[in-house]
Amino acid sequence: MADLGENVVRLSATLQAKNDEAQEFETERKFQEFKWQKQLDLDQQMRAVEPGQAAGFAERYVAETYKPEADEFFQSVPDKFKGKYGLKLFGAEQDFYGSAATFARGEQKRFAVASLEDAVKGRLAKTGDLEGAKAEYDELLRAAIADGHITPIEADETRRKHSEDIEYNNAEWRYESGAGLEELLRDVTESGDTRAAIEHHSDGMATVTTGSGASFRVSGDAADRFAGALADFEAEGLEIKPEQSGGYNPRNI
């Protein structure tokens, strides 16, 4: 009888272990199915986001889609597995939030930069007040930073690119609107921190000085174009060193 009792206890324990194993397997299967469905929901919702409407997307997805259904799933988990699957559900929530936040961040940046580019090619280019257009662009840039659409580092990179675009597009618009080429050359030469300063002399010559302090003495008639060439060089990253510039060598070179 004692042996029979021990055998019954062992059999009962074995059957319970098998039952627990089967329950855990089924719970894991349902969890993976639930997690896959939430991934599909996230993908579908990301595709449905309208341009410029991604702010708060990650928070909305977690609060409105994931958590209510995760709580419902958790209630179906057997008590003995609730601790384990509570952690699994929280880990999945973190993963989904990270993916949704990365998507929202990228879309916000894309939309902000595209809006700035539209402004640069549109109304900011079509004005007789170039400095005013640049000031308005800076306001748009600060607003994009304040809204969290781009970081200060990204704003600096974007501003460097668009500063040249504003000048180019404005010059193109003014030329098509009837502005003279000499007027445009003069404005481009005299505007911006990287443009060379021109000092005309009574003898018909002129001194062209770059932002780095390098000086060149040239014909007054060619000073505007020469200053523009220097500005182009500097815009391309060429460092014009004062100690290596402005010399004169009277030989055929």
Side-chain angles (χ1 to χ4, degrees):
M1 290 298 292
D3 290 343
L4 177 60
E6 291 177 1
N7 288 336
V8 170
V9 170
R10 283 196 295 269
L11 178 60
S12 177
T14 300
L15 291 175
Q16 184 62 47
K18 291 292 185 182
N19 183 62
D20 290 348
E21 183 179 340
Q23 275 192 318
E24 185 170 8
F25 176 84
E26 181 62 13
T27 302
E28 179 65 22
R29 184 191 68 77
K30 290 181 178 178
F31 171 73
Q32 293 299 333
E33 190 177 80
F34 164 80
K35 188 177 178 181
W36 173 244
Q37 186 58 53
K38 294 311 101 190
Q39 181 65 62
L40 294 178
D41 290 343
L42 176 59
D43 291 343
Q44 183 177 6
Q45 290 188 30
M46 286 192 296
R47 290 191 180 96
V49 172
E50 295 290 335
Q53 302 299 313
F57 172 77
E59 291 77 8
R60 290 195 303 273
Y61 172 78
V62 169
E64 299 173 9
T65 299
Y66 181 81
K67 285 188 71 67
E69 297 186 32
D71 291 342
E72 182 179 347
F73 174 84
F74 184 71
Q75 297 304 318
S76 70
V77 174
D79 290 342
K80 65 183 71 177
F81 303 134
K82 283 190 182 296
K84 175 180 179 180
Y85 281 90
L87 291 175
K88 279 181 169 263
L89 288 167
F90 180 67
E93 178 182 335
Q94 289 179 310
D95 291 341
F96 287 134
Y97 180 87
S99 297
T102 299
F103 160 77
R105 175 75 183 83
E107 168 55 22
Q108 286 175 298
K109 177 185 175 183
R110 183 206 66 78
F111 183 78
V113 173
S115 298
L116 288 167
E117 288 179 350
D118 288 343
V120 168
K121 295 176 182 177
R123 69 177 189 281
L124 296 183
K126 300 174 182 179
T127 176
D129 181 12
L130 182 57
E131 294 307 314
K134 290 180 179 180
E136 183 180 349
Y137 175 84
D138 288 339
E139 286 296 326
L140 294 174
L141 207 56
R142 282 190 286 270
I145 296 173
D147 291 338
H149 293 168
I150 57 177
T151 66
I153 293 176
E154 291 168 342
D156 180 67
E157 178 184 355
T158 303
R159 188 183 190 283
R160 289 175 182 274
K161 174 182 181 298
H162 285 166
S163 292
E164 295 181 4
D165 291 342
I166 291 174
E167 292 184 358
Y168 177 84
N169 292 334
N170 180 258
E172 185 176 42
W173 175 78
R174 290 176 62 192
Y175 181 73
E176 292 175 352
S177 300
L181 185 59
E182 291 299 324
E183 175 189 347
L184 292 176
L185 286 172
R186 181 179 65 253
D187 290 346
V188 169
T189 302
E190 294 175 353
S191 65
D193 295 335
T194 61
R195 302 300 182 182
I198 302 174
E199 180 185 1
H200 288 275
H201 304 298
S202 59
D203 60 358
M205 300 295 285
T207 300
V208 179
T209 306
T210 67
S212 64
S215 294
F216 302 86
R217 188 172 174 86
V218 300
S219 167
D221 294 336
D224 287 345
R225 285 171 291 170
F226 187 77
L230 293 177
D232 288 342
F233 289 145
E234 289 186 309
E236 292 297 324
L238 177 66
E239 181 182 2
I240 301 179
K241 300 179 180 180
E243 67 275 13
Q244 297 179 1
S245 306
Y248 174 70
N249 195 336
R251 60 189 179 89
N252 185 18
I253 50 176

